[in-house]
PDB file of all heavy atoms in Angstrom:
ATOM      1  N   ILE A 122      -5.954  -8.926   1.607  1.00 98.00           N
ATOM      2  CA  ILE A 122      -7.354  -8.860   1.181  1.00 98.00           C
ATOM      3  C   ILE A 122      -8.134  -9.948   1.913  1.00 98.00           C
ATOM      4  O   ILE A 122      -7.574 -10.999   2.246  1.00 98.00           O
ATOM      5  CB  ILE A 122      -7.451  -8.969  -0.364  1.00 98.00           C
ATOM      6  CG1 ILE A 122      -8.848  -8.656  -0.840  1.00 98.00           C
ATOM      7  CG2 ILE A 122      -6.959 -10.289  -0.881  1.00 98.00           C
ATOM      8  CD1 ILE A 122      -8.916  -8.258  -2.310  1.00 98.00           C
ATOM      9  N   HIS A 123      -9.424  -9.654   2.155  1.00 98.00           N
ATOM     10  CA  HIS A 123     -10.268 -10.562   2.936  1.00 98.00           C
ATOM     11  C   HIS A 123     -11.186 -11.360   2.002  1.00 98.00           C
ATOM     12  O   HIS A 123     -11.736 -10.799   1.056  1.00 98.00           O
ATOM     13  CB  HIS A 123     -11.111  -9.711   3.904  1.00 98.00           C
ATOM     14  CG  HIS A 123     -12.202 -10.478   4.565  1.00 98.00           C
ATOM     15  ND1 HIS A 123     -13.531 -10.299   4.280  1.00 98.00           N
ATOM     16  CD2 HIS A 123     -12.134 -11.449   5.498  1.00 98.00           C
ATOM     17  CE1 HIS A 123     -14.247 -11.125   5.024  1.00 98.00           C
ATOM     18  NE2 HIS A 123     -13.424 -11.823   5.769  1.00 98.00           N
ATOM     19  N   ARG A 124     -11.302 -12.660   2.246  1.00 98.00           N
ATOM     20  CA  ARG A 124     -12.300 -13.450   1.511  1.00 98.00           C
ATOM     21  C   ARG A 124     -12.738 -14.657   2.345  1.00 98.00           C
ATOM     22  O   ARG A 124     -11.889 -15.393   2.855  1.00 98.00           O
ATOM     23  CB  ARG A 124     -11.720 -13.956   0.186  1.00 98.00           C
ATOM     24  CG  ARG A 124     -12.747 -14.784  -0.581  1.00 98.00           C
ATOM     25  CD  ARG A 124     -12.374 -14.969  -2.017  1.00 98.00           C
ATOM     26  NE  ARG A 124     -13.570 -14.941  -2.815  1.00 98.00           N
ATOM     27  CZ  ARG A 124     -13.605 -14.966  -4.125  1.00 98.00           C
ATOM     28  NH1 ARG A 124     -12.485 -15.005  -4.800  1.00 98.00           N
ATOM     29  NH2 ARG A 124     -14.737 -14.954  -4.769  1.00 98.00           N
ATOM     30  N   ASN A 125     -14.042 -14.854   2.439  1.00 96.00           N
ATOM     31  CA  ASN A 125     -14.614 -16.025   3.120  1.00 96.00           C
ATOM     32  C   ASN A 125     -14.006 -16.277   4.498  1.00 96.00           C
ATOM     33  O   ASN A 125     -13.614 -17.403   4.824  1.00 96.00           O
ATOM     34  CB  ASN A 125     -14.428 -17.286   2.250  1.00 96.00           C
ATOM     35  CG  ASN A 125     -15.173 -17.170   0.933  1.00 96.00           C
ATOM     36  OD1 ASN A 125     -16.148 -16.430   0.831  1.00 96.00           O
ATOM     37  ND2 ASN A 125     -14.705 -17.893  -0.079  1.00 96.00           N
ATOM     38  N   GLY A 126     -13.894 -15.214   5.293  1.00 97.00           N
ATOM     39  CA  GLY A 126     -13.419 -15.385   6.675  1.00 97.00           C
ATOM     40  C   GLY A 126     -11.914 -15.552   6.815  1.00 97.00           C
ATOM     41  O   GLY A 126     -11.420 -15.788   7.917  1.00 97.00           O
ATOM     42  N   LYS A 127     -11.199 -15.451   5.698  1.00 98.00           N
ATOM     43  CA  LYS A 127      -9.732 -15.555   5.792  1.00 98.00           C
ATOM     44  C   LYS A 127      -9.082 -14.305   5.204  1.00 98.00           C
ATOM     45  O   LYS A 127      -9.691 -13.612   4.380  1.00 98.00           O
ATOM     46  CB  LYS A 127      -9.233 -16.792   5.042  1.00 98.00           C
ATOM     47  CG  LYS A 127      -9.674 -18.094   5.666  1.00 98.00           C
ATOM     48  CD  LYS A 127      -8.675 -19.199   5.398  1.00 98.00           C
ATOM     49  CE  LYS A 127      -9.104 -20.512   6.017  1.00 98.00           C
ATOM     50  NZ  LYS A 127      -9.080 -20.497   7.484  1.00 98.00           N
ATOM     51  N   PHE A 128      -7.852 -14.069   5.600  1.00 98.00           N
ATOM     52  CA  PHE A 128      -7.098 -12.903   5.134  1.00 98.00           C
ATOM     53  C   PHE A 128      -5.881 -13.394   4.360  1.00 98.00           C
ATOM     54  O   PHE A 128      -5.128 -14.228   4.868  1.00 98.00           O
ATOM     55  CB  PHE A 128      -6.694 -12.030   6.337  1.00 98.00           C
ATOM     56  CG  PHE A 128      -7.914 -11.538   7.059  1.00 98.00           C
ATOM     57  CD1 PHE A 128      -8.525 -12.339   8.023  1.00 98.00           C
ATOM     58  CD2 PHE A 128      -8.506 -10.330   6.720  1.00 98.00           C
ATOM     59  CE1 PHE A 128      -9.693 -11.931   8.652  1.00 98.00           C
ATOM     60  CE2 PHE A 128      -9.672  -9.910   7.333  1.00 98.00           C
ATOM     61  CZ  PHE A 128     -10.265 -10.712   8.303  1.00 98.00           C
ATOM     62  N   TYR A 129      -5.744 -12.902   3.136  1.00 99.00           N
ATOM     63  CA  TYR A 129      -4.667 -13.351   2.256  1.00 99.00           C
ATOM     64  C   TYR A 129      -3.691 -12.198   2.060  1.00 99.00           C
ATOM     65  O   TYR A 129      -4.103 -11.090   1.683  1.00 99.00           O
ATOM     66  CB  TYR A 129      -5.237 -13.816   0.915  1.00 99.00           C
ATOM     67  CG  TYR A 129      -6.132 -15.015   1.083  1.00 99.00           C
ATOM     68  CD1 TYR A 129      -7.506 -14.859   1.299  1.00 99.00           C
ATOM     69  CD2 TYR A 129      -5.599 -16.297   1.077  1.00 99.00           C
ATOM     70  CE1 TYR A 129      -8.329 -15.954   1.492  1.00 99.00           C
ATOM     71  CE2 TYR A 129      -6.419 -17.409   1.273  1.00 99.00           C
ATOM     72  CZ  TYR A 129      -7.780 -17.224   1.476  1.00 99.00           C
ATOM     73  OH  TYR A 129      -8.587 -18.315   1.675  1.00 99.00           O
ATOM     74  N   TRP A 130      -2.426 -12.472   2.299  1.00 99.00           N
ATOM     75  CA  TRP A 130      -1.388 -11.439   2.233  1.00 99.00           C
ATOM     76  C   TRP A 130      -0.442 -11.779   1.081  1.00 99.00           C
ATOM     77  O   TRP A 130       0.318 -12.752   1.149  1.00 99.00           O
ATOM     78  CB  TRP A 130      -0.624 -11.391   3.558  1.00 99.00           C
ATOM     79  CG  TRP A 130       0.185 -10.160   3.801  1.00 99.00           C
ATOM     80  CD1 TRP A 130       0.718  -9.317   2.883  1.00 99.00           C
ATOM     81  CD2 TRP A 130       0.559  -9.633   5.079  1.00 99.00           C
ATOM     82  NE1 TRP A 130       1.396  -8.296   3.489  1.00 99.00           N
ATOM     83  CE2 TRP A 130       1.320  -8.462   4.845  1.00 99.00           C
ATOM     84  CE3 TRP A 130       0.338 -10.035   6.403  1.00 99.00           C
ATOM     85  CZ2 TRP A 130       1.859  -7.700   5.877  1.00 99.00           C
ATOM     86  CZ3 TRP A 130       0.877  -9.274   7.429  1.00 99.00           C
ATOM     87  CH2 TRP A 130       1.617  -8.120   7.170  1.00 99.00           C
ATOM     88  N   TYR A 131      -0.534 -11.017   0.012  1.00 99.00           N
ATOM     89  CA  TYR A 131       0.291 -11.214  -1.188  1.00 99.00           C
ATOM     90  C   TYR A 131       1.551 -10.382  -1.016  1.00 99.00           C
ATOM     91  O   TYR A 131       1.458  -9.172  -0.761  1.00 99.00           O
ATOM     92  CB  TYR A 131      -0.480 -10.815  -2.448  1.00 99.00           C
ATOM     93  CG  TYR A 131      -1.724 -11.657  -2.604  1.00 99.00           C
ATOM     94  CD1 TYR A 131      -2.900 -11.312  -1.939  1.00 99.00           C
ATOM     95  CD2 TYR A 131      -1.694 -12.830  -3.345  1.00 99.00           C
ATOM     96  CE1 TYR A 131      -4.024 -12.115  -2.011  1.00 99.00           C
ATOM     97  CE2 TYR A 131      -2.819 -13.644  -3.432  1.00 99.00           C
ATOM     98  CZ  TYR A 131      -3.975 -13.276  -2.758  1.00 99.00           C
ATOM     99  OH  TYR A 131      -5.083 -14.079  -2.828  1.00 99.00           O
ATOM    100  N   VAL A 132       2.702 -11.020  -1.141  1.00 99.00           N
ATOM    101  CA  VAL A 132       3.959 -10.330  -0.835  1.00 99.00           C
ATOM    102  C   VAL A 132       4.966 -10.465  -1.967  1.00 99.00           C
ATOM    103  O   VAL A 132       4.919 -11.411  -2.752  1.00 99.00           O
ATOM    104  CB  VAL A 132       4.616 -10.908   0.454  1.00 99.00           C
ATOM    105  CG1 VAL A 132       3.683 -10.816   1.648  1.00 99.00           C
ATOM    106  CG2 VAL A 132       5.083 -12.347   0.234  1.00 99.00           C
ATOM    107  N   THR A 133       5.897  -9.507  -2.003  1.00 99.00           N
ATOM    108  CA  THR A 133       7.075  -9.596  -2.871  1.00 99.00           C
ATOM    109  C   THR A 133       8.252 -10.090  -2.041  1.00 99.00           C
ATOM    110  O   THR A 133       8.489  -9.569  -0.941  1.00 99.00           O
ATOM    111  CB  THR A 133       7.470  -8.198  -3.400  1.00 99.00           C
ATOM    112  OG1 THR A 133       6.341  -7.587  -3.995  1.00 99.00           O
ATOM    113  CG2 THR A 133       8.628  -8.290  -4.374  1.00 99.00           C
ATOM    114  N   VAL A 134       8.977 -11.067  -2.564  1.00 99.00           N
ATOM    115  CA  VAL A 134      10.242 -11.504  -1.943  1.00 99.00           C
ATOM    116  C   VAL A 134      11.197 -11.953  -3.048  1.00 99.00           C
ATOM    117  O   VAL A 134      10.765 -12.248  -4.169  1.00 99.00           O
ATOM    118  CB  VAL A 134      10.055 -12.697  -0.963  1.00 99.00           C
ATOM    119  CG1 VAL A 134       9.546 -12.260   0.387  1.00 99.00           C
ATOM    120  CG2 VAL A 134       9.170 -13.774  -1.569  1.00 99.00           C
ATOM    121  N   GLU A 135      12.474 -12.039  -2.717  1.00 98.00           N
ATOM    122  CA  GLU A 135      13.471 -12.601  -3.633  1.00 98.00           C
ATOM    123  C   GLU A 135      13.463 -14.113  -3.440  1.00 98.00           C
ATOM    124  O   GLU A 135      13.520 -14.597  -2.317  1.00 98.00           O
ATOM    125  CB  GLU A 135      14.846 -12.005  -3.295  1.00 98.00           C
ATOM    126  CG  GLU A 135      15.982 -12.479  -4.157  1.00 98.00           C
ATOM    127  CD  GLU A 135      16.120 -11.672  -5.451  1.00 98.00           C
ATOM    128  OE1 GLU A 135      15.495 -10.584  -5.573  1.00 98.00           O
ATOM    129  OE2 GLU A 135      16.855 -12.149  -6.339  1.00 98.00           O
ATOM    130  N   HIS A 136      13.370 -14.848  -4.562  1.00 98.00           N
ATOM    131  CA  HIS A 136      13.311 -16.314  -4.479  1.00 98.00           C
ATOM    132  C   HIS A 136      14.700 -16.888  -4.220  1.00 98.00           C
ATOM    133  O   HIS A 136      15.689 -16.362  -4.715  1.00 98.00           O
ATOM    134  CB  HIS A 136      12.740 -16.858  -5.795  1.00 98.00           C
ATOM    135  CG  HIS A 136      12.146 -18.219  -5.655  1.00 98.00           C
ATOM    136  ND1 HIS A 136      12.915 -19.355  -5.577  1.00 98.00           N
ATOM    137  CD2 HIS A 136      10.856 -18.625  -5.567  1.00 98.00           C
ATOM    138  CE1 HIS A 136      12.122 -20.409  -5.451  1.00 98.00           C
ATOM    139  NE2 HIS A 136      10.860 -19.984  -5.434  1.00 98.00           N
ATOM    140  N   LYS A 137      14.753 -17.979  -3.435  1.00 98.00           N
ATOM    141  CA  LYS A 137      16.048 -18.609  -3.108  1.00 98.00           C
ATOM    142  C   LYS A 137      16.678 -19.289  -4.309  1.00 98.00           C
ATOM    143  O   LYS A 137      17.883 -19.228  -4.517  1.00 98.00           O
ATOM    144  CB  LYS A 137      15.814 -19.693  -2.044  1.00 98.00           C
ATOM    145  CG  LYS A 137      16.267 -19.338  -0.658  1.00 98.00           C
ATOM    146  CD  LYS A 137      16.071 -20.530   0.278  1.00 98.00           C
ATOM    147  CE  LYS A 137      16.027 -20.056   1.721  1.00 98.00           C
ATOM    148  NZ  LYS A 137      15.429 -21.018   2.620  1.00 98.00           N
ATOM    149  N   THR A 138      15.862 -19.951  -5.129  1.00 98.00           N
ATOM    150  CA  THR A 138      16.445 -20.795  -6.183  1.00 98.00           C
ATOM    151  C   THR A 138      16.065 -20.372  -7.598  1.00 98.00           C
ATOM    152  O   THR A 138      16.736 -20.770  -8.546  1.00 98.00           O
ATOM    153  CB  THR A 138      16.001 -22.268  -5.977  1.00 98.00           C
ATOM    154  OG1 THR A 138      14.572 -22.298  -5.940  1.00 98.00           O
ATOM    155  CG2 THR A 138      16.577 -22.837  -4.696  1.00 98.00           C
ATOM    156  N   ILE A 139      15.000 -19.615  -7.762  1.00 98.00           N
ATOM    157  CA  ILE A 139      14.626 -19.130  -9.096  1.00 98.00           C
ATOM    158  C   ILE A 139      15.022 -17.657  -9.141  1.00 98.00           C
ATOM    159  O   ILE A 139      14.379 -16.838  -8.470  1.00 98.00           O
ATOM    160  CB  ILE A 139      13.119 -19.309  -9.368  1.00 98.00           C
ATOM    161  CG1 ILE A 139      12.735 -20.788  -9.209  1.00 98.00           C
ATOM    162  CG2 ILE A 139      12.756 -18.797 -10.772  1.00 98.00           C
ATOM    163  CD1 ILE A 139      11.247 -21.051  -9.229  1.00 98.00           C
ATOM    164  N   PRO A 140      16.082 -17.309  -9.873  1.00 98.00           N
ATOM    165  CA  PRO A 140      16.610 -15.935  -9.775  1.00 98.00           C
ATOM    166  C   PRO A 140      15.538 -14.878 -10.011  1.00 98.00           C
ATOM    167  O   PRO A 140      14.751 -14.986 -10.966  1.00 98.00           O
ATOM    168  CB  PRO A 140      17.670 -15.894 -10.879  1.00 98.00           C
ATOM    169  CG  PRO A 140      18.049 -17.330 -11.092  1.00 98.00           C
ATOM    170  CD  PRO A 140      16.817 -18.136 -10.817  1.00 98.00           C
ATOM    171  N   GLY A 141      15.502 -13.880  -9.134  1.00 98.00           N
ATOM    172  CA  GLY A 141      14.594 -12.753  -9.332  1.00 98.00           C
ATOM    173  C   GLY A 141      13.554 -12.635  -8.238  1.00 98.00           C
ATOM    174  O   GLY A 141      13.477 -13.439  -7.310  1.00 98.00           O
ATOM    175  N   LYS A 142      12.743 -11.599  -8.403  1.00 98.00           N
ATOM    176  CA  LYS A 142      11.664 -11.355  -7.447  1.00 98.00           C
ATOM    177  C   LYS A 142      10.524 -12.355  -7.722  1.00 98.00           C
ATOM    178  O   LYS A 142      10.364 -12.849  -8.848  1.00 98.00           O
ATOM    179  CB  LYS A 142      11.143  -9.918  -7.597  1.00 98.00           C
ATOM    180  CG  LYS A 142      12.142  -8.884  -7.087  1.00 98.00           C
ATOM    181  CD  LYS A 142      12.170  -8.850  -5.571  1.00 98.00           C
ATOM    182  CE  LYS A 142      13.226  -7.908  -5.023  1.00 98.00           C
ATOM    183  NZ  LYS A 142      14.596  -8.446  -5.027  1.00 98.00           N
ATOM    184  N   SER A 143       9.734 -12.577  -6.694  1.00 98.00           N
ATOM    185  CA  SER A 143       8.610 -13.500  -6.837  1.00 98.00           C
ATOM    186  C   SER A 143       7.498 -13.052  -5.894  1.00 98.00           C
ATOM    187  O   SER A 143       7.712 -12.203  -5.018  1.00 98.00           O
ATOM    188  CB  SER A 143       9.063 -14.911  -6.488  1.00 98.00           C
ATOM    189  OG  SER A 143       9.654 -14.896  -5.216  1.00 98.00           O
ATOM    190  N   ILE A 144       6.330 -13.639  -6.112  1.00 99.00           N
ATOM    191  CA  ILE A 144       5.168 -13.271  -5.283  1.00 99.00           C
ATOM    192  C   ILE A 144       4.701 -14.505  -4.522  1.00 99.00           C
ATOM    193  O   ILE A 144       4.499 -15.573  -5.114  1.00 99.00           O
ATOM    194  CB  ILE A 144       4.045 -12.690  -6.165  1.00 99.00           C
ATOM    195  CG1 ILE A 144       4.513 -11.349  -6.747  1.00 99.00           C
ATOM    196  CG2 ILE A 144       2.746 -12.509  -5.360  1.00 99.00           C
ATOM    197  CD1 ILE A 144       3.611 -10.764  -7.802  1.00 99.00           C
ATOM    198  N   GLY A 145       4.567 -14.338  -3.200  1.00 99.00           N
ATOM    199  CA  GLY A 145       4.044 -15.411  -2.363  1.00 99.00           C
ATOM    200  C   GLY A 145       2.740 -14.976  -1.728  1.00 99.00           C
ATOM    201  O   GLY A 145       2.336 -13.804  -1.844  1.00 99.00           O
ATOM    202  N   VAL A 146       2.060 -15.904  -1.065  1.00 99.00           N
ATOM    203  CA  VAL A 146       0.806 -15.545  -0.389  1.00 99.00           C
ATOM    204  C   VAL A 146       0.745 -16.247   0.967  1.00 99.00           C
ATOM    205  O   VAL A 146       1.031 -17.443   1.071  1.00 99.00           O
ATOM    206  CB  VAL A 146      -0.439 -15.847  -1.273  1.00 99.00           C
ATOM    207  CG1 VAL A 146      -0.442 -17.257  -1.800  1.00 99.00           C
ATOM    208  CG2 VAL A 146      -1.734 -15.538  -0.538  1.00 99.00           C
ATOM    209  N   ALA A 147       0.418 -15.467   1.987  1.00 99.00           N
ATOM    210  CA  ALA A 147       0.252 -16.008   3.343  1.00 99.00           C
ATOM    211  C   ALA A 147      -1.213 -15.888   3.732  1.00 99.00           C
ATOM    212  O   ALA A 147      -1.947 -15.075   3.157  1.00 99.00           O
ATOM    213  CB  ALA A 147       1.130 -15.228   4.318  1.00 99.00           C
ATOM    214  N   VAL A 148      -1.641 -16.677   4.711  1.00 98.00           N
ATOM    215  CA  VAL A 148      -3.055 -16.689   5.085  1.00 98.00           C
ATOM    216  C   VAL A 148      -3.188 -16.661   6.605  1.00 98.00           C
ATOM    217  O   VAL A 148      -2.318 -17.154   7.319  1.00 98.00           O
ATOM    218  CB  VAL A 148      -3.763 -17.923   4.465  1.00 98.00           C
ATOM    219  CG1 VAL A 148      -3.231 -19.230   5.050  1.00 98.00           C
ATOM    220  CG2 VAL A 148      -5.274 -17.831   4.621  1.00 98.00           C
TER     221      VAL A 148
END
Side-chain angles (χ1 to χ4, degrees):
I122 190 159
H123 169 251
R124 180 164 216 174
N125 297 335
K127 294 209 180 292
F128 299 85
Y129 296 91
W130 197 335
Y131 299 84
V132 303
T133 307
V134 280
E135 180 85 13
H136 202 283
K137 254 184 201 161
T138 56
I139 303 170
K142 289 285 176 281
S143 54
I144 293 171
V146 52
V148 66

